[in-house]
Amino acid sequence: MSDDLLQWSTPVIAILRAPTASRFAEVTAVLHESGITAVEFTLTTDGALDALRDCAGFDHPIGVGTVITADDANRAVDAGAAYLITPIVSDDVIEQGFRLSIPVISGAFTPTEIHHAWSAGSTMIKVFPASVGGPDYLRAIRAPLPDIPLVPTGGVALTDARAYMDAGATALGIGSPLIGDACTGGDLDALRERVALLREELS
């Protein structure tokens, strides 16, 4: 997946996960206005696909995460997903993404999983959970697999963002450290401030 396809001005995929997706559209609008243009709606959130349909007129594409099966992929794409993100290596999802001409970012952790997901046709690899190994682990993976675009996700703190990018990340997947309580009624100005801090960290 190219930077142009995700249309990101900041190399971050903001992950929205909450009990319900009632505020996803509003939070996504704030993220886009603040410079985070790649956003993931997780299927584990009640109403995520309905929220995605509500965002059909947004300027930037939105992806769907926690895609496990080919059926998940179909439902997500039918709702308007521009890309699919998995927490695992699912050959079925990768193959369905190929059939639908939709990029798939597969979740993997070990070098074997990462190489398998890439060889199977994933567009990028989500290194998950990234916090287990941190930037040093990412750097170690990049040494033998320098051509695979890696997106560390899971426990990536805002203050660690630069370290991950310096270790060779193509982009970062960040959920609660960035989103906080914005999806459950929290202060959207506080979200804007966190985005500003993250962008400063990455500048």
Side-chain angles (χ1 to χ4, degrees):
M1 181 181 303
S2 70
D3 287 359
D4 289 341
L5 181 57
L6 274 181
Q7 298 181 18
W8 50 37
S9 56
T10 303
V12 170
I13 301 173
I15 303 165
L16 273 55
R17 186 187 307 275
T20 74
S22 60
R23 217 180 185 202
F24 275 17
E26 189 174 2
V27 169
T28 298
V30 170
L31 290 167
H32 286 177
E33 292 164 5
S34 303
I36 302 291
T37 54
V39 179
E40 168 191 342
F41 289 7
T42 54
L43 277 181
T44 49
T45 298
D46 186 35
L49 296 184
D50 288 335
L52 181 59
R53 293 184 185 96
D54 291 341
C55 296
F58 281 33
D59 291 337
H60 303 287
I62 297 171
V64 170
T66 323
V67 176
I68 303 292
T69 67
D71 181 61
D72 289 342
N74 289 334
R75 292 189 297 115
V77 173
D78 286 345
Y83 47 95
L84 306 172
I85 304 178
T86 78
I88 59 170
V89 181
S90 171
D91 289 335
D92 288 344
V93 172
I94 297 169
E95 291 167 6
Q96 194 63 8
F98 180 79
R99 293 189 191 102
L100 298 171
S101 298
I102 296 292
V104 175
I105 303 175
S106 292
F109 187 74
T110 69
T112 298
E113 292 171 347
I114 290 168
H115 185 267
H116 173 79
W118 179 248
S119 299
S122 299
T123 313
M124 293 171 125
I125 308 301
K126 178 175 85 170
V127 181
F128 175 79
S131 61
V132 172
D136 287 343
Y137 180 73
L138 189 75
R139 186 175 290 105
I141 293 296
R142 290 285 295 165
L145 302 173
D147 298 325
I148 300 178
L150 303 177
V151 184
T153 305
V156 176
L158 303 187
T159 52
D160 291 335
R162 171 47 56 193
Y164 277 106
M165 296 302 292
D166 288 346
T170 296
L172 306 171
I174 307 181
S176 57
L178 175 63
I179 304 303
D181 61 357
C183 290
T184 54
D187 185 357
L188 295 180
D189 284 335
L191 173 60
R192 291 185 179 92
E193 291 174 4
R194 289 191 294 275
V195 172
L197 287 172
L198 176 59
R199 297 190 72 190
E200 182 178 353
E201 181 76 14
L202 292 173
S203 64

